[in-house]
Amino acid sequence: MNNKIVYVPLAADILHSGHLNIINRAKKYGKVVIGLLSDNAMAEYKNIPSLEYEERYKIVKNLKNVHKIIKQDTWDYSKVLNSLKPDYFVHGDDWKKGPQSKEREVLIKTMKKWNGRVLEFKYTPNVSSNKIKKKLKK
């Protein structure tokens, strides 16, 4: 059995096929540990979540291929990563440009400290929580 740790950060406010795609792909590399963003962490970057942390936790806990969930209290991944030292950090490739690009650079340097690798999977086209929320508002 593959005992490597694969860290996948998620907000999971509105769960969609893109989330499932990234978890299922991450599973191929080892045990999937979800860094579930707290309500405060989500509010730092996105919006106040529609579902509270406890509700999102219950949903993610019941997903196939999720080994463990860690609460991530901030958008800065370094505290959790320095503690966990995962073999892999998985993210969609959508963060290469835009507001998350600076976090990405810090993360890559952090992971190199223990020879961890960053895996960036192609973003699932036409699916995003923000698009779903906008559609619901209409």
Side-chain angles (χ1 to χ4, degrees):
M1 178 165 187
N2 187 349
N3 286 325
K4 296 202 181 282
I5 297 172
V6 185
Y7 190 78
V8 180
L10 284 182
D13 194 26
I14 295 179
L15 198 62
H16 54 71
S17 62
H19 296 124
L20 301 177
N21 289 342
I22 207 160
I23 291 168
N24 293 337
R25 289 193 66 190
K27 175 65 177 143
K28 295 175 184 175
Y29 293 87
K31 293 180 179 177
V32 176
V33 175
I34 300 295
L36 190 61
L37 295 167
S38 69
D39 296 346
N40 288 337
M42 283 182 63
E44 277 180 40
Y45 170 70
K46 290 188 172 193
N47 301 314
I48 295 169
S50 304
L51 299 174
E52 292 181 357
Y53 178 84
E54 291 74 21
E55 186 68 19
R56 293 182 289 117
Y57 180 93
K58 288 176 192 173
I59 292 166
V60 174
K61 183 178 98 169
N62 285 287
L63 294 177
K64 180 179 162 188
N65 295 329
V66 172
H67 174 72
K68 182 178 178 180
I69 299 173
I70 294 176
K71 188 174 192 177
Q72 185 163 323
D73 286 315
T74 178
W75 273 95
D76 178 3
Y77 301 109
S78 53
K79 182 180 174 186
V80 171
L81 296 179
N82 281 310
S83 171
L84 184 64
K85 293 186 176 35
D87 298 284
Y88 300 100
F89 179 96
V90 172
H91 202 286
D93 66 355
D94 59 315
W95 72 332
K96 289 181 179 181
K97 295 179 182 174
Q100 288 184 301
S101 61
K102 288 181 182 154
E103 317 307 333
R104 179 181 178 267
E105 294 304 318
V106 171
L107 174 94
I108 290 169
K109 288 177 187 170
T110 301
M111 291 292 291
K112 283 183 181 176
K113 291 178 188 176
W114 55 86
N115 295 320
R117 289 187 47 210
V118 176
L119 304 174
E120 297 169 316
F121 298 144
K122 185 154 179 53
Y123 197 74
T124 304
N126 303 316
V127 179
S128 83
S129 300
N130 286 338
K131 283 183 182 179
I132 294 168
K133 285 181 181 180
K134 285 177 185 173
K135 195 172 184 178
L136 289 172
K137 284 181 181 179
K138 286 182 182 180

Coordinates of all heavy atoms in Angstrom, one line a residue, residues 10 18 21-22 26-28 43 45 47 49 58 62 66-67 71 75 87 91 96 115 127:
L10 N -9.1 22.3 0.3 CA -10.4 22.5 -0.3 C -11.2 23.5 0.6 O -11.1 23.5 1.8 CB -11.2 21.2 -0.3 CG -10.9 20.1 -1.3 CD1 -11.9 18.9 -1.1 CD2 -11.0 20.7 -2.7
G18 N -15.4 18.9 -10.1 CA -14.0 19.3 -10.1 C -13.3 18.9 -8.8 O -12.2 18.4 -8.8
N21 N -12.8 15.2 -9.1 CA -11.7 14.9 -10.0 C -10.4 15.0 -9.3 O -9.5 14.1 -9.5 CB -11.8 15.8 -11.2 CG -13.0 15.5 -12.1 OD1 -13.5 14.4 -12.1 ND2 -13.3 16.4 -13.0
I22 N -10.2 16.1 -8.6 CA -8.9 16.3 -8.0 C -8.6 15.3 -6.9 O -7.5 14.8 -6.7 CB -8.7 17.8 -7.6 CG1 -7.2 18.1 -7.6 CG2 -9.3 18.1 -6.2 CD1 -7.0 19.6 -7.6
A26 N -5.6 12.6 -7.0 CA -4.6 12.7 -5.9 C -4.4 11.3 -5.2 O -3.3 10.9 -4.9 CB -5.1 13.7 -4.8
K27 N -5.5 10.5 -5.2 CA -5.5 9.2 -4.5 C -4.5 8.3 -5.2 O -3.9 7.4 -4.6 CB -6.9 8.6 -4.6 CG -7.0 7.2 -4.1 CD -6.7 7.1 -2.6 CE -6.8 5.6 -2.2 NZ -5.8 5.3 -1.2
K28 N -4.2 8.5 -6.5 CA -3.2 7.7 -7.2 C -1.8 7.8 -6.7 O -1.0 7.0 -6.9 CB -3.3 8.0 -8.7 CG -4.6 7.6 -9.3 CD -4.6 8.1 -10.8 CE -6.0 7.8 -11.4 NZ -6.2 8.3 -12.7
A43 N -13.2 33.3 4.3 CA -13.5 34.7 4.3 C -12.3 35.6 4.0 O -12.5 36.7 3.4 CB -14.2 35.1 5.6
Y45 N -10.1 35.1 1.7 CA -9.8 35.1 0.3 C -11.1 35.2 -0.6 O -11.2 35.9 -1.5 CB -9.0 33.9 -0.1 CG -8.9 33.7 -1.6 CD1 -8.1 34.6 -2.4 CD2 -9.5 32.7 -2.3 CE1 -8.0 34.5 -3.7 CE2 -9.4 32.5 -3.7 CZ -8.7 33.4 -4.4 OH -8.6 33.3 -5.7
N47 N -15.4 34.3 -0.1 CA -16.6 34.8 0.6 C -16.8 34.1 1.9 O -16.3 33.0 2.1 CB -17.8 34.7 -0.3 CG -17.6 35.4 -1.7 OD1 -17.2 36.5 -1.7 ND2 -18.0 34.7 -2.7
P49 N -18.6 31.5 3.8 CA -19.1 30.3 3.2 C -20.6 30.2 3.4 O -21.2 30.7 4.3 CB -18.4 29.1 3.9 CG -17.9 29.8 5.2 CD -17.7 31.2 4.9
K58 N -18.5 17.2 7.5 CA -19.4 16.0 7.4 C -19.5 15.5 5.9 O -19.4 14.3 5.7 CB -20.8 16.2 7.9 CG -20.8 16.4 9.4 CD -22.3 16.7 9.8 CE -22.3 17.2 11.3 NZ -23.7 17.7 11.6
N62 N -17.2 12.0 4.1 CA -17.9 10.9 3.5 C -17.6 10.6 2.1 O -18.2 9.8 1.4 CB -19.4 11.0 3.7 CG -19.8 10.7 5.1 OD1 -19.9 9.5 5.5 ND2 -20.1 11.7 5.9
V66 N -11.0 9.9 0.6 CA -10.5 10.8 1.6 C -10.0 10.1 2.8 O -10.8 9.4 3.5 CB -11.5 11.9 2.0 CG1 -11.0 12.8 3.1 CG2 -11.9 12.8 0.8
H67 N -8.7 10.1 3.1 CA -8.1 9.4 4.2 C -8.3 10.2 5.6 O -8.6 9.6 6.6 CB -6.7 9.1 4.0 CG -5.9 8.5 5.1 ND1 -6.1 7.2 5.5 CD2 -5.0 9.0 6.0 CE1 -5.4 6.9 6.5 NE2 -4.7 8.0 6.9
K71 N -8.1 20.7 9.6 CA -8.7 22.0 9.5 C -7.5 23.0 9.2 O -6.5 23.1 9.9 CB -9.3 22.4 10.9 CG -10.1 23.7 10.8 CD -10.8 24.0 12.1 CE -11.8 25.1 12.0 NZ -12.6 25.2 13.2
W75 N -5.2 31.0 4.8 CA -4.8 30.7 3.4 C -3.3 30.4 3.3 O -2.8 29.9 2.3 CB -5.2 31.9 2.5 CG -6.5 31.8 2.0 CD1 -7.7 32.3 2.6 CD2 -7.0 31.0 0.9 NE1 -8.8 31.9 1.9 CE2 -8.4 31.1 0.8 CE3 -6.3 30.2 0.0 CZ2 -9.1 30.5 -0.1 CZ3 -7.1 29.6 -1.0 CH2 -8.5 29.7 -1.1
D87 N 4.2 14.3 1.1 CA 5.0 14.0 0.0 C 4.6 14.8 -1.2 O 5.4 15.2 -2.1 CB 4.9 12.5 -0.3 CG 5.4 11.7 0.9 OD1 6.6 11.6 1.0 OD2 4.5 11.2 1.6
H91 N -3.0 20.8 -6.4 CA -3.9 21.9 -6.6 C -4.2 22.0 -8.1 O -3.5 21.4 -8.9 CB -3.1 23.2 -6.2 CG -4.0 24.4 -5.9 ND1 -4.7 25.1 -6.9 CD2 -4.4 25.0 -4.7 CE1 -5.4 26.0 -6.3 NE2 -5.2 26.0 -5.0
K96 N -1.9 29.5 -11.1 CA -0.7 29.9 -11.6 C -0.7 31.4 -11.9 O 0.3 32.1 -11.8 CB -0.3 29.2 -12.9 CG 0.1 27.7 -12.6 CD 0.4 27.0 -13.9 CE 0.8 25.6 -13.6 NZ 1.2 24.9 -14.9
N115 N 11.8 17.8 0.2 CA 11.7 17.2 -1.1 C 10.3 16.8 -1.5 O 10.1 15.8 -2.3 CB 12.7 16.0 -1.2 CG 14.1 16.4 -1.2 OD1 14.5 17.4 -1.7 ND2 14.9 15.6 -0.4
V127 N -16.6 24.3 -14.5 CA -17.1 24.0 -13.2 C -16.4 24.8 -12.2 O -15.2 24.7 -12.1 CB -17.0 22.5 -12.9 CG1 -17.5 22.2 -11.5 CG2 -17.7 21.6 -13.9

